[in-house]
PDB file of all heavy atoms in Angstrom:
ATOM      1  N   SER U   1      -7.108   2.135   4.613  1.00  0.00           N
ATOM      2  CA  SER U   1      -8.038   2.766   5.538  1.00  0.00           C
ATOM      3  C   SER U   1      -7.364   3.088   6.860  1.00  0.00           C
ATOM      4  O   SER U   1      -6.279   2.596   7.176  1.00  0.00           O
ATOM      5  CB  SER U   1      -9.231   1.844   5.790  1.00  0.00           C
ATOM      6  OG  SER U   1      -8.837   0.767   6.614  1.00  0.00           O
ATOM      7  N   SER U   2      -8.051   3.910   7.641  1.00  0.00           N
ATOM      8  CA  SER U   2      -7.546   4.276   8.958  1.00  0.00           C
ATOM      9  C   SER U   2      -7.939   3.263  10.020  1.00  0.00           C
ATOM     10  O   SER U   2      -7.290   3.158  11.053  1.00  0.00           O
ATOM     11  CB  SER U   2      -8.100   5.640   9.364  1.00  0.00           C
ATOM     12  OG  SER U   2      -9.520   5.590   9.446  1.00  0.00           O
ATOM     13  N   SER U   3      -8.984   2.512   9.755  1.00  0.00           N
ATOM     14  CA  SER U   3      -9.571   1.684  10.816  1.00  0.00           C
ATOM     15  C   SER U   3      -9.104   0.241  10.785  1.00  0.00           C
ATOM     16  O   SER U   3      -8.368  -0.197  11.663  1.00  0.00           O
ATOM     17  CB  SER U   3     -11.097   1.750  10.699  1.00  0.00           C
ATOM     18  OG  SER U   3     -11.506   1.378   9.387  1.00  0.00           O
ATOM     19  N   ASP U   4      -9.506  -0.478   9.748  1.00  0.00           N
ATOM     20  CA  ASP U   4      -9.255  -1.915   9.730  1.00  0.00           C
ATOM     21  C   ASP U   4      -8.114  -2.326   8.796  1.00  0.00           C
ATOM     22  O   ASP U   4      -7.889  -3.516   8.611  1.00  0.00           O
ATOM     23  CB  ASP U   4     -10.533  -2.667   9.327  1.00  0.00           C
ATOM     24  CG  ASP U   4     -11.051  -2.270   7.960  1.00  0.00           C
ATOM     25  OD1 ASP U   4     -10.398  -1.442   7.293  1.00  0.00           O
ATOM     26  OD2 ASP U   4     -12.118  -2.781   7.567  1.00  0.00           O
ATOM     27  N   GLY U   5      -7.425  -1.352   8.225  1.00  0.00           N
ATOM     28  CA  GLY U   5      -6.304  -1.675   7.357  1.00  0.00           C
ATOM     29  C   GLY U   5      -6.698  -2.187   5.998  1.00  0.00           C
ATOM     30  O   GLY U   5      -5.847  -2.695   5.256  1.00  0.00           O
ATOM     31  N   SER U   6      -7.973  -2.048   5.655  1.00  0.00           N
ATOM     32  CA  SER U   6      -8.393  -2.497   4.335  1.00  0.00           C
ATOM     33  C   SER U   6      -7.713  -1.662   3.261  1.00  0.00           C
ATOM     34  O   SER U   6      -7.362  -0.494   3.497  1.00  0.00           O
ATOM     35  CB  SER U   6      -9.914  -2.419   4.195  1.00  0.00           C
ATOM     36  OG  SER U   6     -10.375  -1.098   4.421  1.00  0.00           O
ATOM     37  N   THR U   7      -7.523  -2.280   2.108  1.00  0.00           N
ATOM     38  CA  THR U   7      -6.770  -1.630   1.042  1.00  0.00           C
ATOM     39  C   THR U   7      -7.537  -1.634  -0.268  1.00  0.00           C
ATOM     40  O   THR U   7      -8.487  -2.404  -0.453  1.00  0.00           O
ATOM     41  CB  THR U   7      -5.419  -2.335   0.828  1.00  0.00           C
ATOM     42  OG1 THR U   7      -5.658  -3.724   0.552  1.00  0.00           O
ATOM     43  CG2 THR U   7      -4.538  -2.222   2.065  1.00  0.00           C
ATOM     44  N   TYR U   8      -7.106  -0.780  -1.148  1.00  0.00           N
ATOM     45  CA  TYR U   8      -7.693  -0.666  -2.485  1.00  0.00           C
ATOM     46  C   TYR U   8      -6.550  -0.458  -3.458  1.00  0.00           C
ATOM     47  O   TYR U   8      -5.606   0.292  -3.172  1.00  0.00           O
ATOM     48  CB  TYR U   8      -8.657   0.527  -2.525  1.00  0.00           C
ATOM     49  CG  TYR U   8      -9.262   0.794  -3.883  1.00  0.00           C
ATOM     50  CD1 TYR U   8     -10.494   0.251  -4.226  1.00  0.00           C
ATOM     51  CD2 TYR U   8      -8.605   1.581  -4.829  1.00  0.00           C
ATOM     52  CE1 TYR U   8     -11.061   0.502  -5.469  1.00  0.00           C
ATOM     53  CE2 TYR U   8      -9.155   1.824  -6.069  1.00  0.00           C
ATOM     54  CZ  TYR U   8     -10.381   1.283  -6.386  1.00  0.00           C
ATOM     55  OH  TYR U   8     -10.940   1.518  -7.622  1.00  0.00           O
ATOM     56  N   TYR U   9      -6.641  -1.144  -4.597  1.00  0.00           N
ATOM     57  CA  TYR U   9      -5.610  -1.010  -5.615  1.00  0.00           C
ATOM     58  C   TYR U   9      -6.253  -0.753  -6.971  1.00  0.00           C
ATOM     59  O   TYR U   9      -7.266  -1.367  -7.306  1.00  0.00           O
ATOM     60  CB  TYR U   9      -4.747  -2.272  -5.701  1.00  0.00           C
ATOM     61  CG  TYR U   9      -3.940  -2.553  -4.463  1.00  0.00           C
ATOM     62  CD1 TYR U   9      -4.436  -3.371  -3.459  1.00  0.00           C
ATOM     63  CD2 TYR U   9      -2.682  -1.985  -4.302  1.00  0.00           C
ATOM     64  CE1 TYR U   9      -3.695  -3.616  -2.321  1.00  0.00           C
ATOM     65  CE2 TYR U   9      -1.928  -2.231  -3.162  1.00  0.00           C
ATOM     66  CZ  TYR U   9      -2.445  -3.055  -2.170  1.00  0.00           C
ATOM     67  OH  TYR U   9      -1.710  -3.285  -1.038  1.00  0.00           O
ATOM     68  N   ALA U  10      -5.633   0.107  -7.738  1.00  0.00           N
ATOM     69  CA  ALA U  10      -6.050   0.263  -9.125  1.00  0.00           C
ATOM     70  C   ALA U  10      -5.731  -1.030  -9.872  1.00  0.00           C
ATOM     71  O   ALA U  10      -4.765  -1.720  -9.539  1.00  0.00           O
ATOM     72  CB  ALA U  10      -5.314   1.438  -9.761  1.00  0.00           C
ATOM     73  N   ASP U  11      -6.546  -1.352 -10.864  1.00  0.00           N
ATOM     74  CA  ASP U  11      -6.339  -2.595 -11.607  1.00  0.00           C
ATOM     75  C   ASP U  11      -4.935  -2.669 -12.212  1.00  0.00           C
ATOM     76  O   ASP U  11      -4.354  -3.747 -12.310  1.00  0.00           O
ATOM     77  CB  ASP U  11      -7.379  -2.705 -12.722  1.00  0.00           C
ATOM     78  CG  ASP U  11      -8.766  -3.007 -12.190  1.00  0.00           C
ATOM     79  OD1 ASP U  11      -8.884  -3.454 -11.033  1.00  0.00           O
ATOM     80  OD2 ASP U  11      -9.740  -2.797 -12.924  1.00  0.00           O
ATOM     81  N   SER U  12      -4.404  -1.541 -12.588  1.00  0.00           N
ATOM     82  CA  SER U  12      -3.113  -1.517 -13.269  1.00  0.00           C
ATOM     83  C   SER U  12      -1.944  -1.909 -12.366  1.00  0.00           C
ATOM     84  O   SER U  12      -0.853  -2.217 -12.862  1.00  0.00           O
ATOM     85  CB  SER U  12      -2.848  -0.123 -13.848  1.00  0.00           C
ATOM     86  OG  SER U  12      -2.892   0.853 -12.818  1.00  0.00           O
ATOM     87  N   VAL U  13      -2.162  -1.898 -11.045  1.00  0.00           N
ATOM     88  CA  VAL U  13      -1.053  -2.210 -10.134  1.00  0.00           C
ATOM     89  C   VAL U  13      -1.334  -3.409  -9.240  1.00  0.00           C
ATOM     90  O   VAL U  13      -0.470  -3.815  -8.456  1.00  0.00           O
ATOM     91  CB  VAL U  13      -0.705  -1.000  -9.251  1.00  0.00           C
ATOM     92  CG1 VAL U  13      -0.411   0.220 -10.111  1.00  0.00           C
ATOM     93  CG2 VAL U  13      -1.794  -0.700  -8.235  1.00  0.00           C
ATOM     94  N   LYS U  14      -2.514  -3.997  -9.364  1.00  0.00           N
ATOM     95  CA  LYS U  14      -2.854  -5.156  -8.523  1.00  0.00           C
ATOM     96  C   LYS U  14      -1.858  -6.282  -8.733  1.00  0.00           C
ATOM     97  O   LYS U  14      -1.490  -6.604  -9.854  1.00  0.00           O
ATOM     98  CB  LYS U  14      -4.262  -5.647  -8.856  1.00  0.00           C
ATOM     99  CG  LYS U  14      -5.372  -4.850  -8.216  1.00  0.00           C
ATOM    100  CD  LYS U  14      -6.733  -5.411  -8.577  1.00  0.00           C
ATOM    101  CE  LYS U  14      -7.848  -4.588  -7.962  1.00  0.00           C
ATOM    102  NZ  LYS U  14      -9.188  -5.084  -8.363  1.00  0.00           N
ATOM    103  N   GLY U  15      -1.418  -6.864  -7.623  1.00  0.00           N
ATOM    104  CA  GLY U  15      -0.460  -7.950  -7.694  1.00  0.00           C
ATOM    105  C   GLY U  15       0.982  -7.496  -7.779  1.00  0.00           C
ATOM    106  O   GLY U  15       1.901  -8.310  -7.636  1.00  0.00           O
ATOM    107  N   ARG U  16       1.190  -6.205  -7.994  1.00  0.00           N
ATOM    108  CA  ARG U  16       2.565  -5.683  -8.104  1.00  0.00           C
ATOM    109  C   ARG U  16       2.892  -4.700  -6.980  1.00  0.00           C
ATOM    110  O   ARG U  16       4.036  -4.657  -6.519  1.00  0.00           O
ATOM    111  CB  ARG U  16       2.760  -4.988  -9.450  1.00  0.00           C
ATOM    112  CG  ARG U  16       2.531  -5.873 -10.646  1.00  0.00           C
ATOM    113  CD  ARG U  16       2.924  -5.166 -11.946  1.00  0.00           C
ATOM    114  NE  ARG U  16       2.164  -3.968 -12.213  1.00  0.00           N
ATOM    115  CZ  ARG U  16       2.694  -2.762 -12.396  1.00  0.00           C
ATOM    116  NH1 ARG U  16       4.002  -2.595 -12.325  1.00  0.00           N
ATOM    117  NH2 ARG U  16       1.913  -1.714 -12.653  1.00  0.00           N
ATOM    118  N   PHE U  17       1.926  -3.924  -6.563  1.00  0.00           N
ATOM    119  CA  PHE U  17       2.146  -2.912  -5.525  1.00  0.00           C
ATOM    120  C   PHE U  17       1.485  -3.347  -4.229  1.00  0.00           C
ATOM    121  O   PHE U  17       0.429  -3.991  -4.237  1.00  0.00           O
ATOM    122  CB  PHE U  17       1.554  -1.568  -5.950  1.00  0.00           C
ATOM    123  CG  PHE U  17       2.249  -0.877  -7.093  1.00  0.00           C
ATOM    124  CD1 PHE U  17       3.227  -1.506  -7.849  1.00  0.00           C
ATOM    125  CD2 PHE U  17       1.914   0.425  -7.416  1.00  0.00           C
ATOM    126  CE1 PHE U  17       3.855  -0.876  -8.900  1.00  0.00           C
ATOM    127  CE2 PHE U  17       2.525   1.094  -8.474  1.00  0.00           C
ATOM    128  CZ  PHE U  17       3.501   0.431  -9.212  1.00  0.00           C
ATOM    129  N   THR U  18       2.102  -2.968  -3.113  1.00  0.00           N
ATOM    130  CA  THR U  18       1.536  -3.240  -1.796  1.00  0.00           C
ATOM    131  C   THR U  18       1.640  -1.996  -0.930  1.00  0.00           C
ATOM    132  O   THR U  18       2.737  -1.431  -0.773  1.00  0.00           O
ATOM    133  CB  THR U  18       2.277  -4.391  -1.102  1.00  0.00           C
ATOM    134  OG1 THR U  18       2.224  -5.560  -1.924  1.00  0.00           O
ATOM    135  CG2 THR U  18       1.635  -4.694   0.248  1.00  0.00           C
ATOM    136  N   ILE U  19       0.514  -1.579  -0.383  1.00  0.00           N
ATOM    137  CA  ILE U  19       0.500  -0.425   0.516  1.00  0.00           C
ATOM    138  C   ILE U  19       0.473  -0.919   1.958  1.00  0.00           C
ATOM    139  O   ILE U  19      -0.142  -1.933   2.258  1.00  0.00           O
ATOM    140  CB  ILE U  19      -0.711   0.490   0.221  1.00  0.00           C
ATOM    141  CG1 ILE U  19      -0.592   1.812   0.971  1.00  0.00           C
ATOM    142  CG2 ILE U  19      -2.032  -0.209   0.537  1.00  0.00           C
ATOM    143  CD1 ILE U  19      -1.639   2.848   0.550  1.00  0.00           C
ATOM    144  N   SER U  20       1.168  -0.206   2.819  1.00  0.00           N
ATOM    145  CA  SER U  20       1.175  -0.569   4.236  1.00  0.00           C
ATOM    146  C   SER U  20       1.375   0.706   5.063  1.00  0.00           C
ATOM    147  O   SER U  20       1.799   1.727   4.542  1.00  0.00           O
ATOM    148  CB  SER U  20       2.287  -1.577   4.543  1.00  0.00           C
ATOM    149  OG  SER U  20       3.560  -1.017   4.257  1.00  0.00           O
ATOM    150  N   ARG U  21       1.034   0.597   6.325  1.00  0.00           N
ATOM    151  CA  ARG U  21       1.218   1.760   7.179  1.00  0.00           C
ATOM    152  C   ARG U  21       1.889   1.347   8.474  1.00  0.00           C
ATOM    153  O   ARG U  21       1.657   0.250   8.987  1.00  0.00           O
ATOM    154  CB  ARG U  21      -0.113   2.457   7.457  1.00  0.00           C
ATOM    155  CG  ARG U  21      -1.171   1.630   8.167  1.00  0.00           C
ATOM    156  CD  ARG U  21      -2.545   2.309   8.110  1.00  0.00           C
ATOM    157  NE  ARG U  21      -2.523   3.648   8.665  1.00  0.00           N
ATOM    158  CZ  ARG U  21      -3.397   4.597   8.380  1.00  0.00           C
ATOM    159  NH1 ARG U  21      -4.363   4.359   7.524  1.00  0.00           N
ATOM    160  NH2 ARG U  21      -3.315   5.788   8.927  1.00  0.00           N
ATOM    161  N   ASP U  22       2.717   2.211   9.009  1.00  0.00           N
ATOM    162  CA  ASP U  22       3.375   2.018  10.292  1.00  0.00           C
ATOM    163  C   ASP U  22       3.000   3.230  11.134  1.00  0.00           C
ATOM    164  O   ASP U  22       3.643   4.286  11.051  1.00  0.00           O
ATOM    165  CB  ASP U  22       4.889   1.919  10.103  1.00  0.00           C
ATOM    166  CG  ASP U  22       5.625   1.578  11.399  1.00  0.00           C
ATOM    167  OD1 ASP U  22       5.057   1.847  12.477  1.00  0.00           O
ATOM    168  OD2 ASP U  22       6.736   1.062  11.310  1.00  0.00           O
ATOM    169  N   ASN U  23       1.949   3.078  11.924  1.00  0.00           N
ATOM    170  CA  ASN U  23       1.465   4.207  12.712  1.00  0.00           C
ATOM    171  C   ASN U  23       2.494   4.675  13.735  1.00  0.00           C
ATOM    172  O   ASN U  23       2.539   5.859  14.075  1.00  0.00           O
ATOM    173  CB  ASN U  23       0.156   3.839  13.399  1.00  0.00           C
ATOM    174  CG  ASN U  23      -0.996   3.738  12.406  1.00  0.00           C
ATOM    175  OD1 ASN U  23      -0.918   4.243  11.283  1.00  0.00           O
ATOM    176  ND2 ASN U  23      -2.063   3.081  12.814  1.00  0.00           N
ATOM    177  N   ALA U  24       3.315   3.763  14.213  1.00  0.00           N
ATOM    178  CA  ALA U  24       4.342   4.157  15.185  1.00  0.00           C
ATOM    179  C   ALA U  24       5.336   5.128  14.563  1.00  0.00           C
ATOM    180  O   ALA U  24       5.869   6.012  15.243  1.00  0.00           O
ATOM    181  CB  ALA U  24       5.055   2.924  15.704  1.00  0.00           C
ATOM    182  N   LYS U  25       5.571   4.960  13.268  1.00  0.00           N
ATOM    183  CA  LYS U  25       6.499   5.850  12.565  1.00  0.00           C
ATOM    184  C   LYS U  25       5.765   6.956  11.822  1.00  0.00           C
ATOM    185  O   LYS U  25       6.397   7.771  11.148  1.00  0.00           O
ATOM    186  CB  LYS U  25       7.359   5.056  11.586  1.00  0.00           C
ATOM    187  CG  LYS U  25       8.293   4.067  12.252  1.00  0.00           C
ATOM    188  CD  LYS U  25       9.176   3.366  11.230  1.00  0.00           C
ATOM    189  CE  LYS U  25      10.148   2.410  11.916  1.00  0.00           C
ATOM    190  NZ  LYS U  25      11.026   1.706  10.943  1.00  0.00           N
ATOM    191  N   ASN U  26       4.438   6.945  11.930  1.00  0.00           N
ATOM    192  CA  ASN U  26       3.632   7.966  11.253  1.00  0.00           C
ATOM    193  C   ASN U  26       3.940   8.010   9.757  1.00  0.00           C
ATOM    194  O   ASN U  26       4.044   9.094   9.154  1.00  0.00           O
ATOM    195  CB  ASN U  26       3.861   9.340  11.876  1.00  0.00           C
ATOM    196  CG  ASN U  26       2.586  10.159  11.987  1.00  0.00           C
ATOM    197  OD1 ASN U  26       1.478   9.620  12.015  1.00  0.00           O
ATOM    198  ND2 ASN U  26       2.738  11.472  12.035  1.00  0.00           N
ATOM    199  N   THR U  27       4.055   6.820   9.179  1.00  0.00           N
ATOM    200  CA  THR U  27       4.498   6.703   7.788  1.00  0.00           C
ATOM    201  C   THR U  27       3.678   5.637   7.067  1.00  0.00           C
ATOM    202  O   THR U  27       3.320   4.613   7.659  1.00  0.00           O
ATOM    203  CB  THR U  27       5.988   6.350   7.726  1.00  0.00           C
ATOM    204  OG1 THR U  27       6.748   7.381   8.395  1.00  0.00           O
ATOM    205  CG2 THR U  27       6.470   6.238   6.288  1.00  0.00           C
ATOM    206  N   VAL U  28       3.410   5.897   5.804  1.00  0.00           N
ATOM    207  CA  VAL U  28       2.765   4.921   4.932  1.00  0.00           C
ATOM    208  C   VAL U  28       3.731   4.610   3.797  1.00  0.00           C
ATOM    209  O   VAL U  28       4.425   5.510   3.296  1.00  0.00           O
ATOM    210  CB  VAL U  28       1.441   5.464   4.390  1.00  0.00           C
ATOM    211  CG1 VAL U  28       0.854   4.536   3.337  1.00  0.00           C
ATOM    212  CG2 VAL U  28       0.441   5.649   5.520  1.00  0.00           C
ATOM    213  N   TYR U  29       3.761   3.356   3.392  1.00  0.00           N
ATOM    214  CA  TYR U  29       4.687   2.900   2.372  1.00  0.00           C
ATOM    215  C   TYR U  29       3.935   2.375   1.149  1.00  0.00           C
ATOM    216  O   TYR U  29       2.800   1.902   1.253  1.00  0.00           O
ATOM    217  CB  TYR U  29       5.576   1.779   2.917  1.00  0.00           C
ATOM    218  CG  TYR U  29       6.340   2.157   4.152  1.00  0.00           C
ATOM    219  CD1 TYR U  29       5.874   1.805   5.420  1.00  0.00           C
ATOM    220  CD2 TYR U  29       7.521   2.880   4.070  1.00  0.00           C
ATOM    221  CE1 TYR U  29       6.572   2.154   6.564  1.00  0.00           C
ATOM    222  CE2 TYR U  29       8.232   3.239   5.208  1.00  0.00           C
ATOM    223  CZ  TYR U  29       7.753   2.868   6.456  1.00  0.00           C
ATOM    224  OH  TYR U  29       8.449   3.229   7.584  1.00  0.00           O
ATOM    225  N   LEU U  30       4.610   2.429   0.024  1.00  0.00           N
ATOM    226  CA  LEU U  30       4.111   1.784  -1.183  1.00  0.00           C
ATOM    227  C   LEU U  30       5.256   0.971  -1.764  1.00  0.00           C
ATOM    228  O   LEU U  30       6.227   1.537  -2.285  1.00  0.00           O
ATOM    229  CB  LEU U  30       3.610   2.810  -2.204  1.00  0.00           C
ATOM    230  CG  LEU U  30       2.976   2.207  -3.457  1.00  0.00           C
ATOM    231  CD1 LEU U  30       1.647   1.509  -3.104  1.00  0.00           C
ATOM    232  CD2 LEU U  30       2.727   3.280  -4.520  1.00  0.00           C
ATOM    233  N   GLN U  31       5.159  -0.346  -1.605  1.00  0.00           N
ATOM    234  CA  GLN U  31       6.153  -1.249  -2.181  1.00  0.00           C
ATOM    235  C   GLN U  31       5.746  -1.536  -3.611  1.00  0.00           C
ATOM    236  O   GLN U  31       4.642  -2.043  -3.854  1.00  0.00           O
ATOM    237  CB  GLN U  31       6.223  -2.548  -1.374  1.00  0.00           C
ATOM    238  CG  GLN U  31       7.188  -3.561  -1.944  1.00  0.00           C
ATOM    239  CD  GLN U  31       8.637  -3.120  -1.836  1.00  0.00           C
ATOM    240  OE1 GLN U  31       9.051  -2.576  -0.813  1.00  0.00           O
ATOM    241  NE2 GLN U  31       9.410  -3.340  -2.883  1.00  0.00           N
ATOM    242  N   MET U  32       6.618  -1.211  -4.534  1.00  0.00           N
ATOM    243  CA  MET U  32       6.323  -1.361  -5.954  1.00  0.00           C
ATOM    244  C   MET U  32       7.277  -2.392  -6.545  1.00  0.00           C
ATOM    245  O   MET U  32       8.498  -2.170  -6.566  1.00  0.00           O
ATOM    246  CB  MET U  32       6.458  -0.021  -6.669  1.00  0.00           C
ATOM    247  CG  MET U  32       5.618   1.101  -6.065  1.00  0.00           C
ATOM    248  SD  MET U  32       5.620   2.604  -7.042  1.00  0.00           S
ATOM    249  CE  MET U  32       7.345   3.027  -6.980  1.00  0.00           C
ATOM    250  N   ASN U  33       6.734  -3.500  -6.992  1.00  0.00           N
ATOM    251  CA  ASN U  33       7.513  -4.569  -7.604  1.00  0.00           C
ATOM    252  C   ASN U  33       7.133  -4.719  -9.070  1.00  0.00           C
ATOM    253  O   ASN U  33       6.094  -4.223  -9.504  1.00  0.00           O
ATOM    254  CB  ASN U  33       7.283  -5.882  -6.867  1.00  0.00           C
ATOM    255  CG  ASN U  33       7.710  -5.828  -5.418  1.00  0.00           C
ATOM    256  OD1 ASN U  33       8.658  -5.128  -5.055  1.00  0.00           O
ATOM    257  ND2 ASN U  33       7.005  -6.572  -4.569  1.00  0.00           N
ATOM    258  N   SER U  34       7.957  -5.433  -9.803  1.00  0.00           N
ATOM    259  CA  SER U  34       7.687  -5.690 -11.223  1.00  0.00           C
ATOM    260  C   SER U  34       7.333  -4.401 -11.963  1.00  0.00           C
ATOM    261  O   SER U  34       6.350  -4.353 -12.719  1.00  0.00           O
ATOM    262  CB  SER U  34       6.559  -6.718 -11.362  1.00  0.00           C
ATOM    263  OG  SER U  34       6.889  -7.911 -10.702  1.00  0.00           O
ATOM    264  N   LEU U  35       8.129  -3.404 -11.748  1.00  0.00           N
ATOM    265  CA  LEU U  35       7.822  -2.099 -12.327  1.00  0.00           C
ATOM    266  C   LEU U  35       7.907  -2.116 -13.842  1.00  0.00           C
ATOM    267  O   LEU U  35       8.734  -2.837 -14.438  1.00  0.00           O
ATOM    268  CB  LEU U  35       8.766  -1.040 -11.756  1.00  0.00           C
ATOM    269  CG  LEU U  35       8.390  -0.564 -10.344  1.00  0.00           C
ATOM    270  CD1 LEU U  35       9.555   0.118  -9.668  1.00  0.00           C
ATOM    271  CD2 LEU U  35       7.183   0.355 -10.393  1.00  0.00           C
TER     272      LEU U  35
END
């Protein structure tokens, strides 16, 4: 989300992927583990 940083994950990636945002860099990341 834009406001409180809440996140949503598809069931297929829960526990493996992590989304984050760095507003200072104007960038959003998706860390994908256990691919």
Side-chain angles (χ1 to χ4, degrees):
S1 73
S2 62
S3 55
D4 59 2
S6 58
T7 56
Y8 177 94
Y9 295 92
D11 288 342
S12 58
V13 305
K14 280 181 181 177
R16 301 188 299 123
F17 291 10
T18 303
I19 190 171
S20 62
R21 61 193 303 157
D22 186 337
N23 289 342
K25 295 183 178 180
N26 220 23
T27 301
V28 172
Y29 304 98
L30 184 68
Q31 178 68 42
M32 305 188 298
N33 299 328
S34 302
L35 282 162

